[in-house]
Amino acid sequence: MEKKPHFVRREFLPREVSSISLALLLAAVLLLNALVYLYLSKFYNSLGRTEADPSLCPFGHFKLGAVKNCSPWLSCEAINREVRKLKCVGEGAVKKVFLSEWKENKVVLSQLTNSELKEDFLHGLKMLKALQSKHVVRLLGYCEQQFTILTEYHPLGSLSGLNETLHIPKYKGMNTWHHRLMLAIDYVSVIRYLHSSPLGTLVMCDSNDLDKVLSQYLLTSDFHILVNDLDALPLVNRSAGRLVKCGHRELRGEFVAPEQRWPYGEDVPFEDDLMPPYDEKTDIWKIPDVSNFLLGHVEGSDIVRLHLFDIHAACKKKDPAERPSAREVLDTYRKVLTLLIRETAMPGTREML
């Protein structure tokens, strides 16, 4: 009888230690979840950027650099008087782009180069004014009479230069699966915004190949993505039976969605009038290709691709109606980011539990 207490202690001590260890593990998991939540909350609201207006200025106004007060969009007179061209940094089919200076701030001045495309230029200006948000390059001013647009300058340039930027010593620390996935989330966020914009469902038509898509977006110094070129954004209105066609020429290649390709075979010459229209699901088809570029080939990127395999397969459904919405893709991307951050912060937790 005297040995019984000793026997009881030997039998239950391991269980008590096990319970304490489990409690500590659960507490660590709860703390990790709280930290992940705080981190993701900071990410989704980084730099205080709101959906409506990144500069927190009323419509028709902007603030730039360290200036605290909002200024009205610059008029023709103000642009002519206060903006100084420095050098030409690009030229496309519609406009020529100049690095310029306004009150010691670098800015971008875009001017129409082909008078036959002035409607495209003015459409881009209309979209730029109406869609000002954290997803769109900031408008600083414009002059319709002179076909001139003034926007914020981003020194890292278009998204097509991402890999070159990540080889610069200053930005090498950003070349991780984590930051690359956040860029992909930014890209899908832009698509989601365009598909549910204040103007309705807009389709990104300047997207017939990967290089063309990447040239439409800017990479900011704090590693976010902004859409920059809005010249080709037709409106889908299903209730009115209004679909779109991206241009009047035949589109080829695997990058464009199946419904964008000529459906009547090589034996039938292409005719624009016979080409069926389509909707915004063409943008969904292209998401996996753009994301594949953004994810690159760094440690961990293949794991990200594995987690995105199912949603990307759904994006590539031949029937547009079977593809997910941009919102569904975005939700999946965010869930994958959350999951991978948790697994990276505490590997093996699931097995331990």
Side-chain angles (χ1 to χ4, degrees), residues 250-349:
E250 182 178 1
L251 301 179
R252 296 175 178 268
E254 293 299 315
F255 187 81
V256 296
E259 63 271 23
Q260 291 184 281
R261 303 172 209 154
W262 179 241
Y264 304 117
E266 295 290 339
D267 296 335
V268 181
F270 176 82
E271 287 188 43
D272 184 42
D273 292 339
L274 298 179
M275 180 66 198
Y278 34 82
D279 63 16
E280 77 280 2
K281 290 299 184 72
T282 58
D283 290 333
I284 304 300
W285 171 273
K286 298 159 188 172
I287 285 175
D289 299 285
V290 178
S291 288
N292 186 55
F293 168 81
L294 295 175
L295 290 173
H297 299 283
V298 296
E299 183 180 355
S301 62
D302 286 341
I303 300 297
V304 178
R305 287 184 178 89
L306 183 63
H307 280 83
L308 296 176
F309 180 84
D310 289 340
I311 192 68
H312 282 174
C315 291
K316 290 294 187 179
K317 294 281 188 180
K318 187 172 182 181
D319 182 356
E322 295 181 4
R323 296 173 204 153
S325 67
R327 165 57 69 184
E328 291 170 323
V329 179
L330 180 59
D331 287 345
T332 300
Y333 274 41
R334 286 174 170 170
K335 287 175 183 176
V336 168
L337 175 64
T338 302
L339 173 65
L340 291 177
I341 288 175
R342 283 174 175 161
E343 290 184 350
T344 302
M346 187 174 283
T349 300

Side-chain angles (χ1 to χ4, degrees), residues 188-258:
V188 178
S189 296
V190 174
I191 299 299
R192 195 275 311 163
Y193 176 68
L194 294 178
H195 288 185
S196 57
S197 82
L199 300 177
T201 302
L202 299 167
V203 181
M204 194 70 178
C205 264
D206 260 346
S207 56
N208 298 336
D209 58 63
L210 179 60
D211 288 338
K212 185 64 174 175
V213 171
L214 298 175
S215 71
Q216 309 301 304
Y217 296 86
L218 294 171
L219 180 64
T220 68
S221 296
D222 60 344
F223 265 66
H224 285 284
I225 291 176
L226 301 174
V227 62
N228 182 50
D229 196 329
L230 305 174
D231 294 345
L233 277 182
L235 179 69
V236 169
N237 188 337
R238 285 194 186 84
S239 60
R242 180 179 176 182
L243 300 178
V244 304
K245 287 192 287 187
C246 292
H248 305 286
R249 294 180 293 180
E250 182 178 1
L251 301 179
R252 296 175 178 268
E254 293 299 315
F255 187 81
V256 296

Side-chain angles (χ1 to χ4, degrees), residues 86-103:
L86 299 178
K87 63 178 179 178
C88 179
V89 292
E91 183 173 2
V94 178
K95 53 186 176 284
K96 185 178 287 188
V97 180
F98 296 90
L99 175 62
S100 305
E101 190 176 55
W102 175 73
K103 293 186 177 180

Side-chain angles (χ1 to χ4, degrees), residues 65-120:
V67 177
K68 294 183 178 180
N69 298 325
C70 295
S71 302
W73 287 338
L74 301 186
S75 63
C76 296
E77 181 183 358
I79 291 174
N80 291 334
R81 184 181 66 250
E82 300 173 10
V83 176
R84 181 171 65 94
K85 290 181 185 177
L86 299 178
K87 63 178 179 178
C88 179
V89 292
E91 183 173 2
V94 178
K95 53 186 176 284
K96 185 178 287 188
V97 180
F98 296 90
L99 175 62
S100 305
E101 190 176 55
W102 175 73
K103 293 186 177 180
E104 298 183 352
N105 291 291
K106 295 288 195 305
V107 294
V108 174
L109 189 71
S110 301
Q111 293 184 316
L112 178 69
T113 54
N114 186 344
S115 59
E116 294 180 359
L117 297 175
K118 64 182 180 181
E119 293 303 321
D120 292 339

